[in-house]
Amino acid sequence: MISNYRYTLITIISRDIIRQGKIVYFLFISVLISAVFVVIITHNTRLLIIQREQLFIARIALDVEWRNLLLEENVLGDHIRIEQIAIKKLHMQYIDPCKENILIK
């Protein structure tokens, strides 16, 4: 008699693996493990690429800020500006050469 029992795919595969031997089982497990590692490594690679891009964007922003600070330093350290601040705010003035006293040791 023919039985009407239906086998599931998992039972068919497991029976086949048991019948064929341990080498096929070992190779199957090896393929699954290597596939999992490929997925993990690909995911980590993508995360590192994203982090590299974020660091590159931060580097560009810091470079722009550094250039702006250099410009600001040049403007604030200009001799003419310092002289104007000294004359206006501190009421400093140039010494007349006639009123100048020179000390000699």
Side-chain angles (χ1 to χ4, degrees):
M1 278 176 118
I2 299 174
S3 68
N4 289 333
Y5 182 74
R6 291 187 168 210
Y7 294 100
T8 62
L9 183 61
I10 296 173
T11 57
I12 294 172
I13 291 174
S14 62
R15 284 185 182 178
D16 246 2
I17 289 174
I18 292 171
R19 285 185 202 152
Q20 296 300 323
K22 295 180 182 177
I23 294 174
V24 175
Y25 184 68
F26 174 74
L27 291 176
F28 178 72
I29 296 298
S30 299
V31 167
L32 285 179
I33 290 172
S34 67
V36 168
F37 278 128
V38 166
V39 169
I40 290 171
I41 290 173
T42 304
H43 178 69
N44 288 338
T45 304
R46 288 182 181 169
L47 288 178
L48 288 173
I49 289 172
I50 291 170
Q51 183 182 11
R52 178 179 168 255
E53 291 296 322
Q54 290 172 347
L55 289 173
F56 186 70
I57 291 170
R59 178 180 158 230
I60 291 173
L62 288 173
D63 191 36
V64 168
E65 184 180 353
W66 178 69
R67 288 181 189 158
N68 288 337
L69 288 173
L70 281 178
L71 288 173
E72 184 179 355
E73 179 185 20
N74 289 335
V75 168
L76 293 176
D78 192 24
H79 293 294
I80 297 171
R81 183 178 175 277
I82 293 172
E83 286 177 11
Q84 290 174 353
I85 291 173
I87 292 171
K88 289 180 183 175
K89 291 186 178 180
L90 301 175
H91 305 294
M92 296 176 94
Q93 57 185 336
Y94 287 104
I95 297 175
D96 188 25
C98 299
K99 296 179 181 178
E100 188 175 308
N101 293 330
I102 299 175
L103 299 174
I104 301 175
K105 273 188 163 180

